Amino acid sequence: MEAERLGSSTPLKSKRLDDEEDDEDEEDEDEEEVEEESGEGGGRGGEEVELEEREMGKGKEREKGERKGNKAYLEDCLRSAILPLPLTQKRAQLHILCSFLKVYTSVSIPISTYLIGFRSRGSRLRLDSRAYTYNLSNYKEENHYGPWLPSSSGEEQEEDAVNYIHLWHLINVIRYNSYERNSFELPTIGIDGWRAFSAPRAHLIREPPTEEEEEKEESWNDWAGVQGVWCRAISFMDYRDLHSYNFTNRNEDGTRKTTIFEQVQFAEAFRLIKAYFTVTKVEETGPAHHPDRPRIHFVGDTALFSHPGHGHAMSVLNGGGNGNGVGGGTGVLASDTSISIHRITKGTVSMTPAGAIRWSFSTRVGGHEWASEGTQIGQVQSRAGVVGVWTSAEHEDGDPAGPFWMWKVGEGAKKVEPKLEQLHYHFVFEDD
């Protein structure tokens, strides 16, 4: 009987197990169906997302391709072009543009040997640029002693518009001097460097700011990308040659003789300076024409180091000297010295009514102060940098002037090595 009960119970138990297994199978099937349905729905959503991402990617590629296509088209149009002389603002703009292209034109450096007539034409362009840049009559209060068109109420001209003729000559002087010294730091390769925000993101390495300073910095609108590490190239003539060109060596009609620039022994000084800029203040609002771009105040710490192949680290800066100096500074340094001249800079960056980005700053070297006026090449925060003029801050008759080119570099600012501890870098914060 027990056996029978067990025998009868066993199949009953197994039947119940079979029924439970069937129920579980049905539940599993239902779950699988739900998963399949949700999977299909998720798959459709995933496909849609993937499609959107693919379309966005195509859009970016298309935009990038258009930029490449535009650049290629421009280079094809201007390849081997002999440009008209930069006697108008539009022509000067074309010269500046072509100086950045990767194809040969009549303004390219080095000048191609297979382009007939380009060598003599290039020499003439350099002479004209030197003559214009070092003509001290081009620096007046009306143009802020820089590459700006003087405002005139009688003309339909926006205030503080860029003088592209002047700007072109400044660029041309610097790039020739750089090339002669095998210095390839200038950001002149490719018009991509004109694009907005193409400059490297260089941040200062300094002592941790206080909470108050950190909150203030986070709220600042450094739209021009001022804070960071910059490299600055400057050029200048021997002061005696500059004075002779401007005041004594004249033609019969009173114009300046340019024969000094044709002399074999004539040469300009060329210096590379590293600058460390930090923002100290940003005004609450910008001008009516650019309310989102308020005036930026900054201070800087710069130093001039001897550079292989560049000759003197600094020429005679206080009158007279070795025939390679400029009036108004501190002293002489030999080419093999590792000493640096410490400089303190203070300035502003603002927008002009004409839509140009204006850099105005002064640099104190020893007991003398130098003023600089420049404008951004291309769009805001472009890799092409800032080009302008340095002059004496007093702007007295006969004070020297010369070109500068400044661009942001992609490295952090580090403290000076112990061997230069007497010229250590520091930041100066001043309340206006």
Side-chain angles (χ1 to χ4, degrees):
M1 293 292 294
E2 185 68 23
E4 288 179 1
R5 282 197 297 271
L6 289 175
S8 62
S9 64
T10 301
L12 287 174
K13 184 178 180 182
S14 61
K15 185 177 186 304
R16 283 197 301 272
L17 290 174
D18 290 342
D19 292 341
E20 289 175 2
E21 289 176 359
D22 291 341
D23 293 340
E24 289 177 2
D25 291 341
E26 289 178 1
E27 290 177 1
D28 292 341
E29 288 177 2
D30 293 340
E31 289 178 0
E32 287 177 3
E33 288 178 2
V34 172
E35 289 177 359
E36 287 177 3
E37 289 177 1
S38 63
E40 288 175 3
R44 285 195 298 270
E47 289 176 2
E48 290 175 2
V49 172
E50 187 178 351
L51 183 61
E52 288 177 4
E53 291 178 350
R54 194 159 49 241
E55 289 298 326
M56 289 177 63
K58 286 182 179 178
K60 291 180 180 179
E61 289 179 4
R62 192 181 303 111
E63 184 180 350
K64 188 176 181 181
E66 287 176 358
R67 287 202 304 266
K68 287 184 177 180
N70 292 338
K71 182 173 68 173
Y73 175 76
L74 185 62
E75 291 177 345
D76 286 342
C77 288
L78 294 172
R79 182 178 282 107
S80 302
I82 300 178
L83 307 181
L85 294 176
L87 303 178
T88 66
Q89 295 297 319
K90 293 295 184 183
R91 290 182 180 181
Q93 284 180 286
L94 184 60
H95 276 66
I96 296 172
L97 174 66
C98 288
S99 67
F100 282 80
L101 294 179
K102 296 181 180 179
V103 296
Y104 276 112
T105 68
S106 58
V107 299
S108 298
I109 298 177
I111 301 169
S112 176
T113 56
Y114 66 83
L115 296 178
I116 301 175
F118 272 31
R119 286 191 175 276
S120 59
R121 189 181 182 88
S123 300
R124 182 66 199 181
L125 283 176
R126 186 183 192 187
L127 187 150
D128 290 344
S129 292
R130 282 170 160 173
Y132 191 104
T133 297
Y134 296 113
N135 184 343
L136 298 181
S137 67
N138 289 324
Y139 306 101
K140 304 174 182 178
E141 186 177 356
E142 290 78 8
N143 66 350
H144 309 295
Y145 303 94
W148 306 100
L149 290 172
S151 56
S152 175
S153 58
E155 299 179 6
E156 293 184 1
Q157 175 184 301
E158 292 184 283
E159 187 179 355
D160 292 340
V162 177
N163 184 344
Y164 289 102
I165 296 175
H166 198 162
L167 193 65
W168 155 249
H169 290 307
L170 298 172
I171 290 173
N172 204 32
V173 167
I174 288 284
R175 68 195 192 110
Y176 263 104
N177 290 338
S178 175
Y179 177 74
E180 279 187 345
R181 291 159 177 81
N182 294 320
S183 176
F184 302 105
E185 290 90 348
L186 293 181
T188 56
I189 304 299
I191 58 174
D192 287 338
W194 286 30
R195 289 189 295 107
F197 309 107
S198 57
R201 301 285 181 177
H203 300 288
L204 295 173
I205 299 173
R206 54 179 178 147
E207 296 297 324
T210 63
E211 291 185 5
E212 183 180 353
E213 290 174 341
E214 193 170 5
E215 290 178 2
K216 186 182 293 184
E217 289 180 7
E218 288 177 355
S219 65
W220 281 341
N221 175 21
D222 185 12
W223 54 267
V226 175
Q227 184 149 309
V229 189
W230 294 75
C231 188
R232 187 183 183 201
I234 64 170
S235 286
F236 53 87
M237 285 178 63
D238 174 89
Y239 185 71
R240 294 171 300 180
D241 292 339
L242 182 69
H243 187 277
S244 175
Y245 169 62
N246 279 277
F247 302 108
T248 61
N249 199 7
R250 299 292 186 101
N251 295 309
E252 293 181 359
D253 60 357
T255 58
R256 292 167 175 78
K257 287 185 178 180
T258 59
T259 52
I260 188 172
F261 303 117
E262 299 172 351
Q263 297 174 5
V264 177
Q265 68 271 24
F266 176 80
E268 298 154 84
F270 178 79
R271 306 289 179 260
L272 286 176
I273 303 169
K274 183 171 284 188
Y276 305 79
F277 293 154
T278 185
V279 175
T280 58
K281 177 184 175 182
V282 178
E283 297 181 5
E284 293 184 3
T285 59
H289 47 84
H290 288 92
D292 58 335
R293 294 185 178 182
R295 185 185 301 272
I296 299 172
H297 298 257
F298 68 93
V299 295
D301 199 16
T302 65
L304 178 68
F305 296 92
S306 57
H307 194 289
H310 290 177
H312 289 15
M314 177 62 78
S315 302
V316 175
L317 295 181
N318 200 4
N322 60 359
N324 192 25
V326 62
T330 55
V332 183
L333 295 176
S335 59
D336 58 349
T337 185
S338 61
I339 296 177
S340 161
I341 292 182
H342 183 66
R343 303 159 172 224
I344 297 298
T345 300
K346 180 181 179 180
T348 62
V349 180
S350 58
M351 293 296 300
T352 72
I357 301 173
R358 178 184 176 189
W359 285 66
S360 302
F361 55 94
S362 60
T363 303
R364 179 167 292 278
V365 185
H368 198 84
E369 190 169 358
W370 304 93
S372 297
E373 277 283 338
T375 184
Q376 183 88 41
I377 301 295
Q379 308 265 335
V380 62
Q381 294 194 41
S382 70
R383 189 173 70 246
V386 179
V387 175
V389 177
W390 63 264
T391 60
S392 173
E394 289 78 13
H395 302 303
E396 296 180 355
D397 291 340
D399 279 352
F404 78 83
W405 193 331
M406 186 172 67
W407 61 97
K408 207 166 188 179
V409 294
E411 58 185 55
K414 297 181 180 179
K415 293 182 179 179
V416 179
E417 297 297 328
K419 65 180 180 181
L420 294 177
E421 58 185 358
Q422 73 275 18
L423 297 170
H424 67 281
Y425 296 122
H426 62 281
F427 295 99
V428 180
F429 293 88
E430 300 181 12
D431 295 327
D432 292 335

